DNA sequence: ACCTGAACACCGTTCAAGT
DNA sequence: ACCTGAACACCGTTCAAGT
């Protein structure tokens, strides 16, 4: 039975969650799947493409979930924070498609529903996402070095309140 | 004449500015300096320490420069944006010492001067820095892939206004 | 004090050749 | 269609030994 793309992505997902981005090499992934490194390039174009797929998977549960802007950006933070080096992976995907990648479109429509005009809603959504990615990047860097992060959830909430005020 | 720490840091600074983080390897740095890779470890503990020093150097011109909170965070953005992969380098330094690393302390006192209580000032400073790092990370990722960034300066200004409102 | 030589344990990617 | 084998051009770090 031949390898397929889903098996590659699933194995990559498992390594990322369990050991972090530092351990997610194409060679390590190939070893885990019992193939030669070159075999992976039949199923994915390169490592970057693989990481994009993992970023989509990380924020997938968000799509379709309602809530206020504060709830949406809070849920986004939780999902990214739950995956080791999640912020690094999602940041690239956000940069490639800032308006299309979740949670931006979800936030924009929630902000319009709450009474903002579309222009302001779109910009505020970008501000929230970039702040969240900056905050989670800082927290995950500290976690990877066993530094304390006790105040960072409150700092995040305060930042979101300031942006939405 | 023996190598010293400053020569190592200067050469690293030059590689970072000219070619980016992807080209700043300890081996490439050693080659540029005409020594074996191992020689570098007499002058710096490891690559991480070297990157911390480069982060300090990037934001050094900020110290002592006055201005409003909006001006300070704007100047910070310019400095980080001016160095290839600057946001990646500065993000780690910020995570290690969020309150001590510039521009946080500068922002906090400017915010106190403008009438905020110290608690609120400190948290707002962190929000501004994390948003700025998130925004510059997105922009530099796009620049590295030759994607357009025309709207990103305005998005940054709008974000700063929202946070400071 | 400062550096070399050499090693250890790795990377991402390509591509002719095999099945 | 899918994979192996082998290569290309690299990494960060350590450390005995040399000067």
């Amino acid at each position: 039975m031949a390898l397929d793309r889903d098996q590659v992505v699933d194995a990559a997902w498992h390594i990322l969650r369990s050991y972090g981005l530092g351990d997610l090499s194409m060679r390590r992934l190939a070893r885990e799947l019992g193939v030669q490194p070159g075999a992976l390039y039949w199923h994915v174009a390169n490592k970057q493409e693989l990481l994009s797929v993992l970023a989509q998977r990380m924020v997938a549960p968000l799509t379709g979930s309602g809530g206020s802007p504060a709830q949406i950006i809070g849920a986004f933070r939780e999902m990214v924070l739950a995956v080791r080096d999640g912020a690094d992976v999602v940041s690239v995907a956000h940069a490639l498609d800032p308006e299309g990648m979740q949670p931006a479109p979800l936030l924009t429509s929630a902000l319009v529903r709450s009474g903002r005009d579309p222009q302001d809603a779109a910009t505020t959504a970008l501000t929230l996402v970039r702040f969240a990615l900056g905050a989670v990047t800082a927290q995950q860097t500290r976690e990877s070095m066993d530094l304390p992060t006790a105040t960072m959830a409150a700092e995040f909430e305060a930042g979101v309140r300031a942006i939405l005020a």
Side-chain angles (χ1 to χ4, degrees), chain A residues 84-149:
Chain A
R84 286 243 251 283
D85 303 309
D88 287 344
V89 176
V90 172
S91 288
V92 176
H94 163 76
L96 289 177
D97 186 13
E99 324 258 0
M101 173 89 182
Q102 294 297 7
L106 223 59
L107 279 169
T108 302
S109 48
L111 286 161
V112 168
R113 275 199 304 278
S114 76
R116 304 210 184 209
D117 71 279
Q119 265 295 350
D120 179 42
T123 306
T124 302
L126 288 180
T127 300
L128 284 168
V129 173
R130 286 168 187 169
F131 165 65
L133 289 174
V136 177
T137 296
Q139 178 159 349
Q140 291 184 324
T141 299
R142 291 183 68 80
E143 285 171 352
S144 75
M145 293 164 160
D146 289 307
L147 295 170
T149 58

Side-chain angles (χ1 to χ4, degrees), chain A residues 128 131 154-164:
Chain A
L128 284 168
F131 165 65
E155 289 158 8
F156 174 78
E157 298 298 339
V160 170
R161 275 196 303 275
I163 293 166
L164 291 175

